[in-house]
Amino acid sequence: MPCWYSEIPLFTATSRHYVDRLFDPDPQNVLQGVIDMKNAVIGNNRQKANLIVLGAVPRLLYLLQQSSSSLELRTECAVVLGSLAMGTENNIKSLVDCHIIPALLQGLLCSDLIFIEACLRCLRTVFISPVTPVQLLYTDPTVIPHLMSLLSRSQHTQEYITQIFAHCCKTPEHQTVLFNHGAIQNIAPLLISPSFKVRMQALKCFSVLAYENAQVSMTLVNVLVDGEQLSQVFVRMMQRDKPIEMQLTAAKCLTYMCRAGAIRTDDNCIVLKTLPCLVRMCSKERLLEERVEGAETLAYLMEPDIELQRIASVTDHLVSMLADYFKYPSSVSAITDIKRLDHDLKHAHELRQAAFKLYASLGSNDEDIRKKPILESGVIELLCSLTQSDSPALRVNGIWALMNMAFQADQKVKVEIVRALGTEQLFRLLSDPDTNVLMKTLGLLRNLLSTRPHIDQVMSSHGKQIMQAVTLILEGEHSIEVKEQTLCILANIADGNTAKELIMTNDDMLQKIKYYMGHSNVKLQLAATFCISNLIWNEEDGSQERQDKLRDMGFVDILHKLTQASDPNLCDRAKTAMQQYLA
């Protein structure tokens, strides 16, 4: 007879024995029971789960809070609870549901340092879990000032409390509470602590306190740590010989202070230290998380500043480094750790997202820089290949990036995009089942068809296919937004010198424009009227012939009706078009 079933009751019986000992009338037996439980749960998630299910947590919390319990027993209870918290997220949920947080916070009022450290260690483990509501730290207004007062007790209290603050500061309100209770003055000296863990957690505190907070950032600029300006302490922490986590977090602190207006963008600590440090974080030698954080922080730093964008674009081959983000992990990966490779494969999309943000930031204000992410790095080919992905999210991101690159770009960039994407893929994307992909593709097409020489050149090469695609969309079951964008493309084509003939010689397309001028949706009426306005504009060659043909087709009557439209924009557009006939 198979005996597998007998093992589970045996295991549960052992767990039951541990819980039963917590109720022994002899305090010494209870203490020994808690110590044995502590040894049994170390590294054993199954045992932890069993003990929680069997009701160990309420009893441990009861013993921890009893003034009649010895300090040793109370401390051991806190240690076991801390060990249970280091299991699964379900364990944490169970502990929080049993009101572990108020019990441990109450324990901090005790004067014994070893007990305080055990409570803080457990609180730290509970609070850094994503399933714990951080608001529980702020429920009792006496908690934050008391934690501040405990910072001076030991390196352990410093490490645990700053880690709790760093994880529980999520909103401007949290920043204000910590700031008002002296977080800056109390935590700044910890940046030169002999303990690396304390220095690191203090640094993380400042990064979350300064993020998008002018009050904190302006205060930090004037803080001295052992006679040295705080910004210079952060600069030293970015040196290459420091651990990567420290370099990156110090760079974030300075980035946030700069974005909040506390440090000038042309300050040496930004231009010569922070920016190069963040560029280093983007190199392929760094771990995936470091590259993501580095790229996102760099994008945030230089987003509003054209000079920082210029400097970044020529620093350490940044543009070609970003191209690697899209190839990661490569087929022959340098990662020999299978777990790391599996993790990275699952999170590779985060790397691509970070690269998109950085590309967008690099090219947001300067055409020369945009031409340089684009033409020199081979990124267009990479983005075009993303548009062929099975993942709709990747297709959207790829086409979105191409759309941004085409915006107000010169002809060389536009030609390169059309060449790399290929007309077949462009028209495949125009029939993509994902609306987001379709909208971004229409946006790309609209950006490619801007300025007359560009419109005429693109339409002379691909006019037939583009007109077919426009026809299919206008005839299909698409949203108002999709059809509006398509009519805007048609209006751009109508603005070309030679391209407009592709509309004028296509009676079927003209009938579609007429239909949308009489549509019930104002947005579609406005876009269709724009098309006609461009076709009949007086100052251009052949305008008289076009006006005559469109009058014969009944467009003047429709325009006349639209001059009485209730929508002021549509009414004005129709009047402007009518004036072309009267001029």
Side-chain angles (χ1 to χ4, degrees), residues 245 248-249 252 256 278 281-282 287-299 325 351 354:
E245 183 184 23
L248 192 46
T249 312
K252 286 168 84 169
Y256 299 157
L278 290 170
M281 296 302 132
C282 297
L287 295 174
L288 179 140
E289 293 88 346
E290 294 160 358
R291 293 169 79 184
V292 168
E293 216 169 329
E296 289 185 338
T297 308
L298 181 56
Y325 277 43
L351 206 54

Side-chain angles (χ1 to χ4, degrees), residues 398-416:
I399 203 71
W400 197 348
L402 288 169
M403 181 185 84
N404 287 340
M405 286 178 175
F407 178 66
Q408 294 182 348
D410 66 12
Q411 187 64 0
K412 191 177 177 185
V413 171
K414 291 183 178 181
V415 166
E416 180 61 16

Side-chain angles (χ1 to χ4, degrees), residues 4-12 15 40-54 84 87-88 91:
W4 56 267
Y5 63 86
S6 64
E7 293 177 19
I8 295 172
L10 178 66
F11 195 83
T12 309
S15 306
V41 297
I42 293 171
N44 190 333
N45 278 348
R46 188 177 177 189
Q47 182 70 282
K48 289 175 187 177
N50 272 342
L51 290 170
I52 289 171
V53 167
L54 292 168
L84 294 177
T88 64
N91 291 9

Side-chain angles (χ1 to χ4, degrees), residues 380 384 399 401-423 425-427 429-430 440-460 462 466 485 488-489 492-493 499:
I380 286 180
C384 290
I399 203 71
L402 288 169
M403 181 185 84
N404 287 340
M405 286 178 175
F407 178 66
Q408 294 182 348
D410 66 12
Q411 187 64 0
K412 191 177 177 185
V413 171
K414 291 183 178 181
V415 166
E416 180 61 16
I417 290 173
V418 174
R419 185 204 62 75
L421 190 61
T423 48
Q425 178 60 8
L426 179 62
F427 299 119
L429 290 165
L430 286 169
K440 295 296 177 287
T441 308
L442 290 168
L444 168 63
L445 198 50
R446 192 172 169 183
N447 287 348
L448 291 171
L449 293 167
S450 62
T451 77
R452 284 182 180 166
H454 298 179
I455 293 168
D456 290 332
Q457 184 170 343
V458 172
M459 292 306 289
S460 67
H462 310 289
I466 288 173
Q485 186 82 297
C488 287
I489 289 169
N492 282 17
I493 295 169

Side-chain angles (χ1 to χ4, degrees), residues 467 470-471 474 490 503 506-513:
M467 294 300 283
V470 166
T471 301
L474 292 178
L490 209 52
I503 301 174
N506 187 334
D507 285 359
D508 179 51
M509 186 61 76
L510 290 171
Q511 291 296 343
K512 284 181 172 51
I513 295 171

Side-chain angles (χ1 to χ4, degrees), residues 282 294-295 298-299 302 318 322 353-363:
C282 297
L298 181 56
M302 64 187 184
L318 174 65
L322 286 182
Q353 289 280 72
F356 283 124
K357 285 182 188 172
L358 194 39
Y359 270 125
S361 190
L362 265 174

Side-chain angles (χ1 to χ4, degrees), residues 1 26 61 121 149 155 179 215 223 227 252 287 323 346 376 379 415 473 505 511 534:
M1 183 182 292
D26 184 341
L61 286 172
R121 193 181 307 115
S149 72
Q155 283 186 8
F179 177 82
Q215 183 186 34
V223 170
K252 286 168 84 169
L287 295 174
K346 286 175 182 165
E376 289 179 18
V379 74
V415 166
I473 293 170
T505 55
Q511 291 296 343
N534 284 347

